[in-house]
Amino acid sequence: MLRKMNLNTDLFDNGYLVVNKPVNRTQMEEIALEYGNTMPTSFLSEGVYDKAAINDKYASHVIGHTSEHSIGSNLGWHQDYAYREPRYYGLILFGLKNSHIVDTHLCNLRQLFESFNDGEKSFLRECSFLHVDPTHSMRYSTSRPLVEKHPITDAEILNFSPFGFLPESYETKEYKMIMERVSDFTTIIKWRDRRFHVIIDNYQFMHKTERSKEHWNEDPRRMLRIQFDYSNVT
């Protein structure tokens, strides 16, 4: 049973929440703790983001995408940490500076799976993918079934993080079946600095970023971010 908290119920019903309220680091951590324990982000030191923008002393952290890191500027469809354990379930994002440079695309993997007919669902339940880290170095890799049950709602969802797939996965029947429908279940977040924060169920949604505005090199994007598990949702 879920706790009787509108915040939790709405997140799991919708997969993400846009909250029209600015937050600071402390407030973001307090929101995360309503759901569960905050979790570390070791990949921040692995060259994916602008290290000058990172403060690893906190559970929440500032990330900065720059043109020097192609992963940061155009990060394809993925579920965070799908390639290693422990994975986490939720994250919060807040635009600090130049957030409008990059839009965030969200795809609902529960609704996408539900759109298939019974025969297609049965086929997908038998499939799995090897998830590897964003550099495809095989430093970290985890094989996951394509269809899993959500840890809170028990609904079937797709375990789908194609940015971390090996190239041969892109030729499979199951990959093509899913990608053909992604746009039908996608929402685009157009950021504005210090206006709102977004809470995302990383288990139910995959997301991507695309460099959509000019002047990328002149003044990089800065986002406040935190990730957490669902240990406080009972």
Side-chain angles (χ1 to χ4, degrees):
M1 292 291 292
L2 293 176
R3 284 193 300 168
K4 293 183 178 180
M5 293 183 60
N6 290 335
L7 188 66
N8 284 338
T9 302
D10 289 347
L11 176 63
F12 300 128
D13 286 346
N14 301 321
Y16 76 100
L17 297 175
V18 177
V19 184
N20 290 310
K21 181 179 179 180
V23 288
N24 58 32
R25 188 190 302 274
T26 300
Q27 291 168 330
M28 180 178 280
E29 292 179 0
E30 290 173 349
I31 295 168
L33 290 171
E34 289 292 322
Y35 295 96
N37 296 319
T38 59
M39 302 180 70
T41 310
S42 60
F43 71 76
L44 288 175
S45 61
E46 296 171 6
V48 176
Y49 298 108
D50 176 10
K51 294 180 182 179
I54 296 166
N55 190 332
D56 282 325
K57 294 181 179 179
Y58 300 92
S60 52
H61 41 261
V62 176
I63 57 175
H65 298 308
T66 74
S67 61
E68 295 177 0
H69 302 108
S70 60
I71 292 176
S73 59
N74 289 284
L75 186 55
W77 284 116
H78 66 285
Q79 292 172 281
D80 286 342
Y81 261 49
Y83 59 90
R84 62 189 293 186
E85 298 289 353
R87 70 184 301 182
Y88 64 88
Y89 296 150
L91 70 153
I92 307 172
L93 292 170
F94 176 63
L96 291 174
K97 184 179 181 182
N98 293 320
S99 58
H100 65 280
I101 291 175
V102 180
D103 299 333
T104 298
H105 298 235
L106 303 174
C107 178
N108 191 316
L109 296 173
R110 173 181 56 82
Q111 293 180 356
L112 200 160
F113 178 70
E114 291 172 349
S115 72
F116 290 107
N117 63 40
D118 289 344
E120 292 167 331
K121 289 178 180 176
S122 295
F123 168 74
L124 294 173
R125 291 186 185 106
E126 299 300 316
C127 299
S128 63
F129 281 110
L130 180 67
H131 299 256
V132 301
D133 80 12
T135 66
H136 289 186
S137 69
M138 299 299 292
R139 178 181 175 186
Y140 302 106
S141 63
T142 302
S143 180
R144 297 189 186 278
L146 179 54
V147 180
E148 288 188 320
K149 289 190 175 181
H150 192 285
I152 302 301
T153 67
D154 209 37
E156 287 186 304
I157 54 176
L158 292 170
N159 207 343
F160 194 67
S161 187
F163 190 72
F165 292 166
L166 296 176
E168 52 264 34
S169 298
Y170 304 141
E171 301 302 319
T172 62
K173 175 182 177 181
E174 54 269 30
Y175 174 84
K176 294 177 180 178
M177 285 173 60
I178 293 168
M179 290 304 298
E180 286 176 353
R181 302 191 181 199
V182 163
S183 62
D184 295 334
F185 299 95
T186 295
T187 300
I188 299 176
I189 304 297
K190 294 188 174 294
W191 293 98
R192 300 179 67 188
D193 290 350
R194 301 180 182 274
R195 296 295 184 88
F196 59 87
H197 61 279
V198 179
I199 309 173
I200 302 170
D201 180 4
N202 183 57
Y203 210 100
Q204 187 174 172
F205 266 72
M206 66 175 177
H207 58 281
K208 70 174 181 176
T209 58
E210 290 186 351
R211 182 169 55 184
S212 58
K213 303 292 187 298
E214 297 178 353
H215 311 301
W216 182 266
N217 296 324
E218 296 178 5
D219 209 355
R221 175 191 193 232
R222 296 284 186 261
M223 304 289 290
L224 188 61
R225 180 184 184 280
I226 194 170
Q227 60 195 38
F228 49 90
D229 64 25
Y230 290 155
S231 57
N232 290 336
V233 181
T234 58

